[in-house]
């Protein structure tokens, strides 16, 4: 297949390249999908795209629904990491009942959730997402210490937090270092983000932990 490579992204350069080269497949991050929403879903000027994948960054629930609800092309949300490639896939059929997840493990891929001691978590419990994949990297180049710290036997420790439901679908809860501990309770920014994303008036939101003398940390939300 032909690869069309853009040195820099903008809606204009992207749409021109897609139209000129008749691009049929692309992988985008959430910020790209926001910029391209009008072009792809409203104006419907791009006719060649057959399949579009959201990957590498979380996407708001509202935007995700709008892409899954359209019928102009096949849409997927996928989760993975550079070290193990794509790990899970959420397709349009599964999105009808699992819209909050990032999908089911791909063929040949195993996903487990572990606690801080590397022990497997119970179903539904939040822990670190670990991935075993036939596409896994053998490690970091000339960095044995980092390789040893990042793999738990055959499983790559992604540094992401999440849980598996009863059907083995993966749900994200944030990054390990994004965790906010408020009054002894673990608060995951991604869960706060999901709650805010359901509101029509919210365009964009960022969430941080702010030091607090009484609670240790409190949740602060910057909302557009």
């Amino acid at each position: 297949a032909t690869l069309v490579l853009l040195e820099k992204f903008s809606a204009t350069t992207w749409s021109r390249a897609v139209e000129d080269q008749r691009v049929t497949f692309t992988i985008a991050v959430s910020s790209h999908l926001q910029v391209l929403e009008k072009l792809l879903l409203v104006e419907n000027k791009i006719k060649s795209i057959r399949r579009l994948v959201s990957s590498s960054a979380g996407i708001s629930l509202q935007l995700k629904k709008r892409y899954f609800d359209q019928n102009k092309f096949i849409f997927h949300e996928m989760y993975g990491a550079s070290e193990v490639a794509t790990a899970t896939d959420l397709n349009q059929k599964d999105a009808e009942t699992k819209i909050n997840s990032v999908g089911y493990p791909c063929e040949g891929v195993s996903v487990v959730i572990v606690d801080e001691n590397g022990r497997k978590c119970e179903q539904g419990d939040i822990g670190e997402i670990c991935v075993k994949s036939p596409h896994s990297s053998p490690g970091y180049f000339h960095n044995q210490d980092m390789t040893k710290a990042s793999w738990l036997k055959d499983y790559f420790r992604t540094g992401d937090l999440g849980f598996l439901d009863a059907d083995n679908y993966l749900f994200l809860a944030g990054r390990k270092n994004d965790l906010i501990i408020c009054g002894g309770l673990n608060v995951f920014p991604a869960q706060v983000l999901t709650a805010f994303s359901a509101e029509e008036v919210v365009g964009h939101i960022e969430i941080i932990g702010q030091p607090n003398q009484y609670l240790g940390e409190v949740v602060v939300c910057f909302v557009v």
Side-chain angles (χ1 to χ4, degrees):
T2 300
L3 172 66
V4 180
L5 180 64
L6 297 182
E7 292 185 2
K8 186 177 181 180
F9 173 84
S10 75
T12 302
T13 55
W14 184 91
S15 60
R16 185 181 297 125
V18 170
E19 289 176 325
D20 290 348
Q21 302 295 326
R22 305 295 297 166
V23 173
T24 58
F25 171 82
T26 190
I27 299 177
V29 296
S30 56
S31 58
H32 293 167
L33 294 178
Q34 289 176 351
V35 172
L36 296 172
E37 181 184 4
K38 182 179 178 181
L39 189 68
L40 289 170
L41 304 185
V42 180
E43 297 177 353
N44 195 25
K45 291 182 178 179
I46 305 297
K47 304 292 186 181
S48 62
I49 291 291
R50 299 176 192 167
R51 195 176 299 265
L52 177 64
V53 172
S54 175
S55 183
S56 304
I59 181 172
S60 74
L61 185 59
Q62 283 187 336
L63 185 61
K64 187 175 175 178
K65 284 180 176 178
R66 288 196 286 272
Y67 273 95
F68 271 123
D69 287 344
Q70 55 75 41
N71 57 9
K72 300 174 180 67
F73 47 80
I74 298 171
F75 181 69
H76 296 257
E77 183 181 24
M78 291 181 164
Y79 168 79
S82 299
E83 292 86 350
V84 289
T86 301
T88 67
D89 172 34
L90 182 67
N91 58 39
Q92 286 180 280
K93 183 177 184 299
D94 290 345
E96 295 175 6
T97 56
K98 303 287 187 179
I99 187 69
N100 288 315
S101 79
V102 289
Y104 190 82
C106 298
E107 184 176 354
V109 174
S110 174
V111 176
V112 298
I113 309 297
V114 302
D115 62 19
E116 293 180 353
N117 297 312
R119 293 190 295 260
K120 188 175 180 180
C121 292
E122 296 292 330
Q123 175 200 309
D125 287 349
I126 293 174
E128 184 176 7
I129 301 167
C130 297
V131 176
K132 179 181 178 181
S133 170
H135 308 297
S136 178
S137 163
Y140 296 107
F141 188 61
H142 288 173
N143 196 332
Q144 292 184 354
D145 290 341
M146 189 173 179
T147 299
K148 185 177 180 180
S150 300
W151 266 264
L152 186 64
K153 295 183 179 179
D154 294 331
Y155 285 82
F156 173 66
R157 309 185 72 143
T158 65
D160 293 322
L161 297 171
F163 67 91
L164 295 168
D165 70 2
D167 300 315
N168 210 36
Y169 281 76
L170 179 64
F171 292 73
L172 298 183
R175 291 285 297 172
K176 287 175 70 175
N177 57 4
D178 285 343
L179 180 66
I180 300 168
I181 302 177
C182 180
L185 298 175
N186 291 345
V187 179
F188 300 97
Q191 294 176 320
V192 182
L193 177 63
T194 298
F196 271 92
S197 295
E199 301 295 331
E200 291 288 344
V201 296
V202 175
H204 185 75
I205 183 170
E206 292 292 343
I207 299 156
I208 65 168
Q210 177 72 26
N212 180 272
Q213 187 173 359
Y214 179 61
L215 294 171
E217 286 182 293
V218 292
V219 179
V220 178
C221 304
F222 296 88
V223 180
V224 178

